[in-house]
Amino acid sequence: SATVGGESSSSSSSSFPTSSTTASPSSSLTIPLLRRLVKDGKSQETQLGRIQYWHGLYQHALMKALDDALGATRALPGYAPAYERAGSILSDL
């Protein structure tokens, strides 16, 4: 913004907030909003832990099923569904 005759010539229709239009840090919404963000962050962290736990159990179960399916291919080498099941489990991992 240029100054002409000691006065600023910046337009008042600017879409950028000025220091007089921004909210102060002590705004009535700031503290509750920050508390909500912290609460949501902790909730999401807890949910992520649960998802990781259940995913770990799922992977463990798949590995056990794969071990059983591979055992079936050794016990019954001519039984095609055993190979199909082992391949299906491997694709799920």
Side-chain angles (χ1 to χ4, degrees):
S1 68
T3 56
V4 178
E7 296 179 2
S8 175
S9 64
S10 64
S11 70
S12 61
S13 63
S14 174
S15 63
F16 297 107
T18 61
S19 61
S20 63
T21 61
T22 56
S24 69
S26 61
S27 171
S28 63
L29 294 177
T30 303
I31 300 299
L33 180 61
L34 290 175
R35 285 185 181 142
R36 175 70 186 263
L37 288 172
V38 168
K39 180 182 171 189
D40 288 351
K42 287 178 182 178
S43 174
Q44 289 177 358
E45 193 173 307
T46 301
Q47 186 67 19
L48 177 62
R50 288 180 184 149
I51 290 169
Q52 288 174 331
Y53 172 77
W54 287 108
H55 186 263
L57 288 180
Y58 175 70
Q59 282 186 324
H60 179 75
L62 282 177
M63 291 300 292
K64 289 295 184 182
L66 177 61
D67 189 43
D68 290 345
L70 291 175
T73 62
R74 287 188 294 271
L76 304 166
Y79 188 61
Y83 290 95
E84 181 184 349
R85 183 65 187 138
S88 173
I89 293 168
L90 276 174
S91 71
D92 287 343
L93 286 173

